[in-house]
Amino acid sequence: MIIGITGTPGTGKTSACALLGGVLDLNELIREEGLYSGVDDERGSLIADMDVVYDRICEIAQGRDGDLVIEGHLSHHVCDLAIVLRLSPDKLGERLRKRGYSGAKISENVEAEAVDVILVEAVEWCDRVYEIDTTGRTVEEVADTIREILDAINRGIGIDGYEPGSVDWSEHFI
Ligand code: ADP
Ligand code: MN
């Protein structure tokens, strides 16, 4: 099975997964293996060729004994099970500002987070979806929660509190 840790850029995927270890960075794979079809000049980002990415991820997964865990904001397009990291839009905006993102890129991501874009896509694409509200949690706490969910998946047992729809930012806009 392919497990994807996904979420809007800035929600802390790479930081948390660095603590987990053994997680494949999808953006790095796309960059290093040239799995893109072009460059988005406006956004300054690569346009991933998701068909090629999917084939490559399946190939990597086949060579493994257990599950393959990947992370990146595109991972829900190529995984069976997604864990979506969420962060309150105002905190996300602060983080992306610190990261030096342009105003347009900050707004685009903050708005996407506010209206659950990645969660909705994950529900559409994946067999199973969990979501974690990372707001006010340290990187260690987020990594522990991901570990807890991965452990439940591995043991084939249920885990409560992370169902899709459990995070809701709509009250932020009243
Ligand atoms: P992503 O991979 O989802 O884009 P990163 O892991 O690169 O996000 O984190 C984006 C920024 O937020 C980094 O500067 C990182 O240090 C910070 N960060 C990540 N997780 C947390 C957290 N739980 N609490 C505070 N800051 C965090
Ligand atoms: Mn990242």
Side-chain angles (χ1 to χ4, degrees):
M1 181 165 64
I2 300 163
I3 299 174
I5 318 287
T6 186
T8 310
T11 48
K13 302 176 294 294
T14 302
S15 305
C17 290
L19 296 185
L20 294 178
V23 180
L24 187 146
D25 179 332
L26 189 60
N27 291 328
E28 196 178 282
L29 183 85
I30 291 169
R31 209 167 37 238
E32 285 182 353
E33 297 196 358
L35 314 180
Y36 49 88
S37 54
V39 180
D40 183 334
D41 289 328
E42 219 170 276
R43 292 192 176 80
S45 57
L46 299 173
I47 302 164
D49 185 334
M50 292 314 290
D51 289 336
V52 175
V53 171
Y54 181 65
D55 289 346
R56 181 69 181 118
I57 288 295
C58 288
E59 195 178 80
I60 296 169
Q62 266 165 16
R64 298 240 171 167
D65 276 343
D67 296 327
L68 169 67
V69 186
I70 62 177
E71 69 95 355
H73 70 289
L74 297 173
S75 58
H76 56 287
H77 291 281
V78 296
C79 67
D80 306 298
L81 185 156
I83 300 173
V84 186
L85 300 195
R86 307 299 306 273
L87 177 64
S88 88
D90 46 340
K91 293 276 180 283
L92 181 70
E94 280 170 31
R95 267 196 212 168
L96 296 179
R97 246 186 305 282
K98 279 194 201 143
R99 239 187 191 187
Y101 275 31
S102 69
K105 213 165 161 186
I106 294 170
S107 307
E108 183 180 345
N109 284 303
V110 166
E111 280 162 28
E113 178 61 25
V115 300
D116 315 320
V117 168
I118 290 198
L119 178 78
V120 170
E121 286 176 357
V123 168
E124 199 175 319
W125 284 90
C126 307
D127 298 331
R128 230 186 320 160
V129 179
Y130 298 86
E131 64 175 335
I132 303 173
D133 183 0
T134 70
T135 313
R137 301 212 179 140
T138 64
V139 177
E140 288 76 13
E141 286 168 339
V142 175
D144 282 345
T145 305
I146 296 173
R147 210 176 279 123
E148 200 186 318
I149 295 173
L150 291 176
D151 184 55
I153 294 163
N154 198 28
R155 292 163 58 197
I157 59 169
I159 183 164
D160 290 332
Y162 306 105
E163 297 82 6
S166 56
V167 178
D168 178 9
W169 305 134
S170 57
E171 78 228 36
H172 286 244
F173 303 98
I174 293 172

